[in-house]
Amino acid sequence: MIRLVRELYQYRGLLISLVQRELKARYRGSFLGFLWTFLNPTLHMLVYVLLFTVVMRQNIPNFPFFMFVGLLPWIWFSTSVGGGASAISDRRDLLTKVRFPAQVLPTSVVVTNLCNFVLSLPLMLVLGMAYGQLPTWHVVLFPVVVLIQLTFTLALTYILAAINVTFRDLQHIVSNLLTLWFFATPVLYPLSTIQDESARSLMLALNPMVSLMTSYQAIFYEHRLPDAAPLMTLAAVSVVLLWGASSIFESRREEFAESI
């Protein structure tokens, strides 16, 4: 993992260039262009608000804001994992070049979506102001939660990108699993709606995104500090997972150009 971090720092100029190119190309040719950074999560929110306030009524105060708090980091996670799975297999043009740093490709996907997440935060703050939900001092822990999510997302993306080179069906399996994962994560509902305490504990143990979502909700919606134990556990697991992911990635790196 140390080698991976060192190489990412060494090729930081290339990483920044790829992220900038992706951000510029993402909405190139569209009439609204950069505004889609704000419109995409807003349209997602409106669909779920319509579903859960009209069709399936929820008694959650300020439900649109509650949902938006979890929806933004989920979009960052799902688009990173979904797009990152094919980050290596889709870039034969770059990998056939002499000593191109393959580790930059999945990283650029995650960082690009992180930038979109950060750029969407003002929209969440405006929505919070509309509902009288102003940020409190608890927001100082927001960068810590973001860093933990970044570590976990990078680890998962590296593993999937490395395996997908030889098992191309994986990217399609991942896109479907992400849908299931979304509904198994408390984005559209608070964790407290699950009455069975053992079921809640099982969700926290088996679903890493639960502790992340509840941490964002604690900071911005409940205005309290996140629960330390599950968050720190996820931080430790994410570091170990990134170490394992970097080992898998390194062991398969020489095969990438040949396999694709």
Side-chain angles (χ1 to χ4, degrees), residues 165-191:
V165 170
T166 52
F167 183 56
R168 300 295 179 87
D169 292 330
L170 182 62
Q171 64 195 67
H172 305 294
I173 295 172
V174 167
S175 64
N176 287 282
L177 286 178
L178 282 170
T179 302
L180 175 62
W181 199 341
F182 173 69
F183 289 105
T185 303
V187 176
L188 304 178
Y189 55 89
L191 187 61

Side-chain angles (χ1 to χ4, degrees), residues 18-34:
L18 287 174
V19 170
Q20 290 175 336
R21 187 176 72 173
E22 176 61 25
L23 287 172
K24 292 176 181 178
R26 179 160 292 188
Y27 305 118
R28 183 180 297 160
S30 65
F31 179 73
L32 295 176
F34 178 74

Side-chain angles (χ1 to χ4, degrees), residues 206-224:
L206 299 180
N207 186 351
M209 294 304 293
V210 172
S211 57
L212 286 171
M213 291 301 109
T214 54
S215 295
Y216 288 117
Q217 291 160 3
I219 292 171
F220 291 105
Y221 181 76
E222 300 170 1
H223 305 298
R224 63 174 179 85

